[in-house]
Amino acid sequence: NAGVTQTPKFQVLKTGQSMTLQCAQDMNHEYMSWYRQDPGMGLRLIHYSVGAGITDQGEVPNGYNVSRSTTEDFPLRLLSAAPSQTSVYFCASSRRAPGDTIYFGEGSWLTVV
Amino acid sequence: SQQGEEDPQALSIQEGENATMNCSYKTSINNLQWYRQNSGRGLVHLILIRSNEREKHSGRLRVTLDTSKKSSSLLITASRAADTASYFCATVGSGNTGKLIFGQGTTLQVKP
């Protein structure tokens, strides 16, 4: 049982490049979400999904796209990376909407230069 | 804007002492959760308390919730050096149960 798996763990991008952060869970969880964590800012919700085919915006969605074509996967796309998107990104999942225990991935460190 | 505000931002205690962290929030909630994060790692769920509950215990952890004051506290008793971490509260609003919103966290240092 791998839990929540994020890839890549580290990535350096140039301004304007695009990339996708991958997130997969093997627990058949309906709820998945993406957060970014900046120093002194705690975690801020980017996008979330309550099931396959359903996504919604969180606190800071601008500059990011998501899709949920399967229950297992919830990729986060940066269409045109900006230095302000330098951050640590966490994917999380729970059985249902977050009244259940949420499980976090180990994080993806992204630097945009 | 973030829902939870935590106090203090940083806390340093000796091993064996108790640590208390507080969380205040702005809007009505469905539930409130506490998480721990060790440096450079993901978050680990500690405890969830629902809006109709006032107190919950889990091992050395005690969480209280006062919905009239829109606040919660996390007490760690008999702290250990291994408790050194950042602690975050997070809330699920009663209006939109799809969003789990985090506070900025309290950094706890337990000195051996």
Side-chain angles (χ1 to χ4, degrees):
Chain A
N1 189 341
V4 180
T5 303
Q6 292 182 232
T7 56
K9 192 167 182 66
F10 299 98
Q11 182 73 47
V12 178
L13 282 178
K14 293 182 179 179
T15 297
Q17 286 186 318
S18 62
M19 78 157 299
T20 299
L21 298 176
Q22 302 290 347
C23 177
Q25 51 87 13
D26 60 359
M27 298 174 282
N28 200 30
H29 284 173
E30 292 294 323
Y31 182 87
M32 296 185 75
S33 56
W34 276 102
Y35 290 86
R36 59 178 288 173
Q37 185 175 30
D38 303 303
M41 295 293 294
L43 277 80
R44 291 183 291 171
L45 180 64
I46 303 172
H47 285 286
Y48 66 97
S49 168
V50 297
I54 305 169
T55 63
D56 208 345
Q57 296 181 347
E59 300 172 276
V60 288
N62 292 340
Y64 307 94
N65 279 353
V66 292
S67 60
R68 187 91 181 273
S69 56
T70 67
T71 299
E72 295 78 17
D73 300 299
F74 191 45
L76 178 71
R77 297 184 185 86
L78 285 70
L79 300 178
S80 179
S84 61
Q85 294 178 304
T86 294
S87 190
V88 184
Y89 291 84
F90 288 98
C91 180
S93 75
S94 68
R95 189 166 60 93
R96 292 177 300 179
D100 293 317
T101 299
I102 288 195
Y103 298 86
F104 279 82
E106 288 296 308
S108 296
W109 273 253
L110 176 65
T111 300
V112 183
V113 298
Chain B
S1 63
Q2 288 175 286
Q3 165 79 309
E5 297 289 337
E6 285 157 271
D7 170 57
Q9 289 190 330
L11 181 61
S12 181
I13 59 175
Q14 294 294 132
E15 207 165 26
E17 294 180 338
N18 295 340
T20 299
M21 288 159 266
N22 302 296
C23 170
S24 60
Y25 55 92
K26 299 174 184 175
T27 61
S28 61
I29 61 170
N30 176 282
N31 65 76
L32 184 145
Q33 305 174 31
W34 285 91
Y35 289 81
R36 184 186 74 231
Q37 183 181 35
N38 290 94
S39 181
R41 305 298 300 274
L43 280 77
V44 174
H45 181 269
L46 295 176
I47 199 163
L48 180 152
I49 186 165
R50 301 192 187 281
S51 60
N52 61 352
E53 298 174 313
R54 292 297 168 260
E55 187 171 311
K56 285 191 84 169
H57 297 257
S58 177
R60 294 183 295 112
L61 305 180
R62 172 179 171 250
V63 168
T64 61
L65 178 65
D66 186 336
T67 53
S68 66
K69 295 181 179 179
K70 291 187 171 59
S71 68
S72 174
S73 67
L74 170 67
L75 169 66
I76 304 174
T77 60
S79 64
R80 306 167 181 168
D83 294 327
T84 294
S86 293
Y87 292 82
F88 295 88
C89 71
T91 56
V92 177
S94 57
N96 183 340
T97 57
K99 293 184 179 181
L100 179 67
I101 304 298
F102 282 81
Q104 296 185 9
T106 294
T107 300
L108 173 65
Q109 182 185 31
V110 181
K111 300 176 184 176

